[in-house]
Amino acid sequence: MNRASKFRALFSFAILLGAAIMVIAREHRPSFLRPGLRLYAYVSTADNSVSVVDLVKLATVAHVPVGGPVSAMREHPTRAEIWGVSSNGGFAWVLDSRTSQVAARIPVGALPYSIDFSADGRRAYIPALGSNSLSMIDCVTRQVIIQAQTGAQPVAARVSADGKLVLSVNKKDASIGVYDAANLQLRSTVGVIPDPEDAIILADNSAAFILSRTQKRLSVVDLRKGLLLTNLELAGIPSQMILKPDGGELYVLSPESHGLQAINTWTHEVGDYLVLGSAPTRGVLLPDTGELYVADTGSGGVTPVDINFRRIGRSIPAGQSPGALRFDPADKPRLLLVVSQSSGDLSIIRIASDRAGGLLTMIPVGDQPRELAVKLF
């Protein structure tokens, strides 16, 4: 082939590639994204930074140092902000979504590992493991307004749906503290299974389920009476709990047992067990359809599970060691975002109901990505 023919071939290929990219961008641009709105994903990386991904352009557009290792990260419920905590730095940080710059760093005590918000977005609650404290932050002034003492090594704080209660999960004490969310007054302390790390509160504040990543059990706590009701035996050590939107069932993932267990939250009975794969670790539930998407770190895929009929779908490739998952924020999401920890990517999976689901693209975000947040602004 002569030089002119090669040039024409390359030129034609470039035109076709550009056209294909434009078609894909238009096809997968969220329908709710009006002119002037932006849809970004935020992914923490091993270099103490956050990568900002434009989900319309399907490209990383910024890489923002936050000043310390990111141990937790959440999008603010009402403000165009991403909040996170850096364990070694002992502070919370606020990233302005409009500028992709860190707007504030807020000292909260030694070794913070968790963050949660009140439903109205006015308050943030952050436990500090190294100082045995729970901080309440005013999200407008970005100031700590109350700091309460907790049990030993609080690793998580969880706010009830109505914003009236805050739980402190105290790992070393093997306890939870139940606080009034308005003033952080301690209502009760309840002993639970060893090494607790997470909690889910039922919508009516009647009970909480407590998870440990060293025990094959879950604790069930009566929040009104401040009593331990029972410890439920599981098939394997759990990694995550997911509550069904109506509150009737709790789904517990366990990479050790290769599956999922369903728990009746009213009777506290352990029900169906489903084998899902090699190491199902993280999951996210699509409420309208009852479709649960589970990341399998062992197989490198995401498995769809119909929780209503207990049916397991075909695994979708999602890079190496998929972890955190999130949907786009539409009423009927079209995209599932998955952090691929070992390959350093953000996998974008199409989940539209009117066509076959599958991997759309993988966007490089940096080494060992872990936490994931999504913001429309």
Side-chain angles (χ1 to χ4, degrees):
M1 182 183 293
N2 58 39
R3 184 176 298 176
S5 298
K6 288 182 178 179
F7 176 80
R8 284 194 297 270
L10 289 172
F11 181 76
S12 299
F13 176 77
I15 293 294
L16 290 172
L17 180 60
I21 292 173
M22 291 177 64
V23 168
I24 290 174
R26 283 196 297 264
E27 180 181 354
H28 297 286
R29 179 186 176 93
S31 58
F32 60 88
L33 199 61
R34 303 185 304 275
L37 290 179
R38 286 179 280 179
L39 179 60
Y40 283 177
Y42 300 83
V43 186
S44 69
T45 54
D47 60 351
N48 303 341
S49 299
V50 173
S51 289
V52 183
V53 179
D54 187 320
L55 293 176
V56 175
K57 297 178 180 178
L58 299 180
T60 300
V61 294
H63 193 67
V64 185
V66 296
V70 179
S71 49
M73 184 171 69
R74 294 275 302 276
E75 63 275 3
H76 191 276
T78 60
R79 302 168 65 88
E81 296 171 347
I82 303 298
W83 286 55
V85 292
S86 293
S87 52
N88 289 358
F91 59 83
W93 47 263
V94 182
L95 190 153
D96 187 319
S97 295
R98 301 186 189 281
T99 64
S100 294
Q101 298 294 322
V102 174
R105 292 185 176 92
I106 309 163
V108 294
L111 301 176
Y113 277 98
S114 167
I115 183 169
D116 204 3
F117 294 101
S118 59
D120 60 9
R122 295 175 57 197
R123 302 285 186 260
Y125 299 87
I126 299 175
L129 180 149
S131 56
N132 297 334
S133 63
L134 174 63
S135 295
M136 179 199 295
I137 298 174
D138 185 309
C139 292
V140 177
T141 64
R142 298 168 180 163
Q143 298 291 322
V144 175
I145 52 177
I146 301 176
Q147 194 168 67
Q149 287 301 115
T150 66
Q153 296 187 354
V155 292
R158 295 292 178 256
V159 184
S160 62
D162 63 4
K164 293 182 178 180
L165 298 179
V166 182
L167 302 189
S168 168
V169 181
N170 308 313
K171 186 171 184 177
K172 188 175 182 180
D173 268 1
S175 70
I176 63 164
V178 184
Y179 295 83
D180 187 314
N183 53 26
L184 291 190
Q185 290 296 310
L186 181 65
R187 293 185 176 186
S188 61
T189 300
V190 184
V192 294
I193 50 177
D195 304 318
E197 291 189 42
D198 203 359
I200 280 184
I201 306 171
L202 296 186
D204 62 0
N205 293 351
S206 61
F209 292 79
I210 315 300
L211 172 146
S212 168
R213 294 187 176 94
T214 66
Q215 306 291 313
K216 295 182 180 181
R217 295 180 292 164
L218 290 182
S219 287
V220 186
V221 174
D222 185 320
L223 294 178
R224 292 168 180 160
K225 296 179 180 179
L227 297 173
L228 176 67
L229 293 175
T230 186
N231 290 322
L232 302 176
E233 296 294 329
L234 302 173
I237 294 174
S239 58
Q240 186 186 2
M241 301 179 291
I242 302 163
L243 186 64
K244 192 176 181 182
D246 65 9
E249 284 189 321
L250 183 74
Y251 306 106
V252 182
L253 295 174
S254 171
E256 182 183 62
S257 67
H258 313 292
L260 169 153
Q261 282 184 284
I263 295 172
N264 186 307
T265 60
W266 312 124
T267 64
H268 310 147
E269 295 177 343
V270 179
D272 295 332
Y273 170 78
L274 298 176
V275 175
L276 299 182
S278 176
T281 305
R282 302 282 292 272
V284 63
L285 179 62
L286 197 58
D288 289 346
T289 65
E291 196 84 355
L292 176 66
Y293 291 86
V294 179
D296 190 318
T297 57
S299 67
V302 172
T303 303
V305 181
D306 184 331
I307 59 171
N308 295 320
F309 296 98
R310 309 295 200 245
R311 289 195 295 251
I312 301 171
R314 181 178 298 177
S315 180
I316 304 167
Q320 299 175 29
S321 302
L325 308 90
R326 294 294 302 276
F327 297 114
D328 73 60
D331 291 336
K332 294 184 178 180
R334 295 171 59 88
L335 300 176
L336 173 65
L337 317 179
V338 187
V339 171
S340 305
Q341 296 174 340
S342 296
S343 54
D345 299 303
L346 179 66
S347 297
I348 312 295
I349 294 174
R350 183 178 59 215
I351 57 169
S353 59
D354 59 346
R355 64 189 68 193
L359 180 65
L360 174 60
T361 188
M362 297 175 68
I363 303 169
V365 292
D367 291 339
Q368 300 175 33
R370 182 172 173 268
E371 299 295 323
L372 174 62
V374 183
K375 191 68 183 178
L376 172 68
F377 59 97

